[in-house]
Each structure stands twice: as C-alpha cells, then as structure tokens.
Amino acid sequence: MLVNCNGTVVNANTIALGMFETPGTALVGRGLLDLLPDFDSRLIPGSMRRPDNTDEQGRTKPTRMVARRTDGGEFPVEVTSASLEDGREAYDSYGGYTGDELLMLVVRDLTGTLDTEAELARSQRQTEMILRAASEGVVGTDTDGRVVLVNPAAAQILGHRAGELGGRELHPLILAKRADGEPFPYEESPLADTLKSGRKHRVRGQVLWTKKGERVPVDLTTAPVRDGDQLVGAVMTFTDRRSYEQLAEQHAAELADRAERAAAEREAQQERYASLAARHEQLTAVLAESLRGPWRSCAPGSAPSPPTTPDNSGPRPTRSSTTSPPGTPG
C-alpha cells in the first residue's frame, strides 16, 4: 500500500485489496490508522516527530500488529514500511517537507502463520518436557559436532551445566579418551561416522568422561538428524550404567558368599558322613565279634555238649504197703 502525507491510502495492489477490502467497501481513500491502529504515526510523511526505529533509508523492521478490514474485522499482520526514494529528505525539518513523499507499506497476513507458530511452539514445549523428564542423556549436535541441545539428565551425568556445553565441540569434552585412558581419535568415534555417513550406531559399554575426569560407562546410541534429504546434525543418547554395574558387583559378591557358605556346609556334611561311616564300621566289627562265638560252637569238629540228666532229687510217689489179693480190684 502507498500512503500520502495525510496518512491516507492512495494506492494498493491486488493482494492488499483482497486482504483489507470487503464487498461494498473501498480500501483506497481510507486512513492508514483506521486500518492499522497500532502503526507508528511518526512514520507518516510530513510528521514533525522523527521516528527512532528506522534505518538511514527510512525503512523499518517487520512489526507484528492487529489490522482491521474495511468492515471492522480484525486479523494479525506483519508490517514493514519504507519511504520512497525520490532524492528528498522526508524528515529533515518541517520546513523542508515538499508534500510529494509517499510511504510504502508491505503487509503480510499472519492468520495461518500464527496458527502454525502456535502449533510449533506447543510441539516445542512438549519436546522440552519430554527431554526434561527423560532419564537418558540426550545431546544434539550440528554437522560440525558442536552441541546445540542438552537435556538435564545429560548435563547431570556429565557433571556440566547445560549452558556450559552449548556451542562447544562434544567429542573433546566427553569422548577424548578410551576406557584405558588412551586417546580416542574423533575420526574413530561413532558420532563422527554418524555425521559423515548418516549411519546409526549402538555401542554397549562406551566410556564417557565427566567434567571432573571421572569415567562413566554408558550404553550409547548415535542417530542422524535430517531436514528432508539433507543431513543437518546428530543426536546422541546414553544411559548411565554405573548403577547397573554396582548392582552386578553386589550380586556377584552375594553369589560368592553363597558359594563359600555352600562349600563350608558341604565340607561339614562330609566330615559328619566320615564320622558316621567310622562309627558304623566300629559297630559292625563289634557285632561280628559277638556273633562269631556261637557259630564256632556249632561248627563241625567241635566237642559235643554233655547229655542232660534228669533231676531225680524230687520226691517219688509212694506205693501202698498193702498188697491187694489176687482177683481183688485195686
């Protein structure tokens, strides 16, 4: 749109007409401040007050505001203005104004854009909440391996504040050495290969180094980040394995203790068995010796036992001294 020194729209292209006009109303001849109530009036040609938000050519930065259609309906817009170059200074002084200057405005309808921006903002907030809630460390890098994103878990595991990592190369910070302390060249790291080839890597037992120089065993994954077909960075996620290793050590100690107790118990049982076996042998020997005597007496060739004589020492029955005569029953 073109606006004259009176702040009136004197010309507009088809897009502006479609944006502002409604049936039965006209855009040309309308006052600019009726269409853009929040527009800075100091930018209108001939204003006695010089605006402070323009460059040397009288151009302004894009500014968001609410616009009104000719029927009063409102919609969001982004406005950029510039004084038309005609060889005359529009704001030198009030006396130097010629009345021929015009102000050109470029207006962009943000109705759909604001909806998209709101959706993007909502999606970004959701992503941030997910990253904050994640227990795994998450670090994003650009194609040069510089940190562009760090979640709280990653900062805590590595012993850094998130602000300390932003913009710094990730490899020298956490992957400069191997587990044995030997240097770990960047070219051999999974992050370097992901950024170079776009391949995804999973590494179990990778060692990262904290700010204090402590080693942290992790399960690590690197994955490429693409914008369409273009590789724009990588994401590294890692899980701290220190708690798992502590549990494994504790479990191994418990197993060793159980094995030691079981061995001691087996040894005690063996000693008890040996004692019982010796006692059994002793009892068997005593029993055999006690049974051996009777068997000897019954063996062939042994002297017979003397016959047993009846005991006649008891009283004998007496017979009557009277003899019955023959034929007389006794």
Side-chain angles (χ1 to χ4, degrees):
M1 296 188 299
L2 295 179
V3 179
N4 64 11
C5 61
N6 296 324
T8 303
V9 177
V10 295
N11 202 349
N13 66 358
T14 304
I15 297 176
L17 294 174
M19 190 183 303
F20 283 93
E21 277 189 346
T22 57
T25 60
L27 174 62
V28 175
R30 294 268 179 171
L32 176 61
L33 297 181
D34 292 335
L35 301 171
L36 301 172
D38 297 327
F39 188 78
D40 189 353
S41 61
R42 293 176 300 175
L43 295 171
I44 297 175
S47 174
M48 297 180 61
R49 295 173 297 170
R50 183 182 180 88
D52 54 5
N53 58 345
T54 60
D55 59 15
E56 295 179 355
Q57 285 75 34
R59 293 175 298 191
T60 61
K61 296 180 179 180
T63 305
R64 293 188 176 186
M65 60 186 69
V66 175
R68 290 178 182 168
R69 296 185 179 88
T70 53
D71 63 353
E74 295 184 344
F75 61 102
V77 294
E78 184 180 79
V79 180
T80 305
S81 65
S83 298
L84 292 182
E85 296 181 1
D86 60 354
R88 290 168 291 189
E89 295 292 338
Y91 304 109
D92 269 351
S93 64
Y94 178 74
Y97 171 63
T98 63
D100 296 329
E101 293 85 357
L102 293 174
L103 181 68
M104 181 178 66
L105 290 89
V106 178
V107 182
R108 185 163 69 98
D109 189 350
L110 297 180
T111 302
T113 303
L114 290 182
D115 293 339
T116 302
E117 291 179 350
E119 180 63 24
L120 289 174
R122 186 182 66 83
S123 177
Q124 184 176 0
R125 287 194 300 270
Q126 288 180 340
T127 302
E128 290 177 354
M129 288 188 291
I130 292 172
L131 290 175
R132 289 182 180 276
S135 59
E136 296 83 4
V138 181
V139 181
T141 72
D142 59 16
T143 53
D144 296 325
R146 296 184 180 276
V147 178
V148 296
L149 178 147
V150 181
N151 76 331
Q156 181 179 4
I157 293 172
L158 300 174
H160 288 270
R161 288 182 296 179
E164 296 175 347
L165 297 173
R168 301 176 64 180
E169 291 186 21
L170 182 62
H171 183 83
L173 288 175
I174 65 173
L175 282 166
K177 295 184 293 183
R178 302 182 189 274
D180 58 3
E182 293 296 320
F184 187 17
Y186 172 71
E187 295 76 14
E188 299 179 13
S189 68
L191 177 63
D193 185 72
T194 296
L195 290 174
K196 181 179 179 180
S197 66
R199 287 191 291 263
K200 187 176 182 179
H201 290 274
R202 291 186 179 91
V203 184
R204 186 177 180 85
Q206 177 69 52
V207 171
L208 304 181
W209 297 89
T210 68
K211 183 178 180 180
K212 295 181 179 180
E214 300 173 350
R215 60 186 296 275
V216 181
V218 299
D219 291 337
L220 180 145
T221 301
T222 59
V225 177
R226 300 181 184 276
D227 184 4
D229 295 333
Q230 184 179 2
L231 183 66
V232 295
V235 172
M236 175 188 293
T237 60
F238 48 88
T239 303
D240 190 349
R241 291 189 55 82
R242 285 177 291 188
S243 59
Y244 299 109
E245 291 191 352
Q246 291 174 358
L247 289 175
E249 292 176 0
Q250 181 180 354
H251 183 61
E254 291 177 355
L255 289 177
D257 183 60
R258 291 179 182 177
E260 185 177 351
R261 290 199 303 268
E265 186 175 350
R266 284 195 301 271
E267 184 177 354
Q269 289 177 349
Q270 290 173 356
E271 291 178 356
R272 288 195 298 270
Y273 176 78
S275 177
L276 291 173
R279 188 174 179 182
H280 179 266
E281 290 179 359
Q282 183 181 5
L283 292 174
T284 302
V286 171
L287 182 61
E289 184 67 24
S290 63
L291 294 175
R292 195 172 290 127
W295 281 107
R296 284 200 191 101
S297 61
C298 297
S302 59
S305 300
T308 303
T309 58
D311 187 3
N312 298 323
S313 60
R316 296 181 180 181
T318 58
R319 294 184 67 176
S320 175
S321 59
T322 303
T323 306
S324 299
T328 305

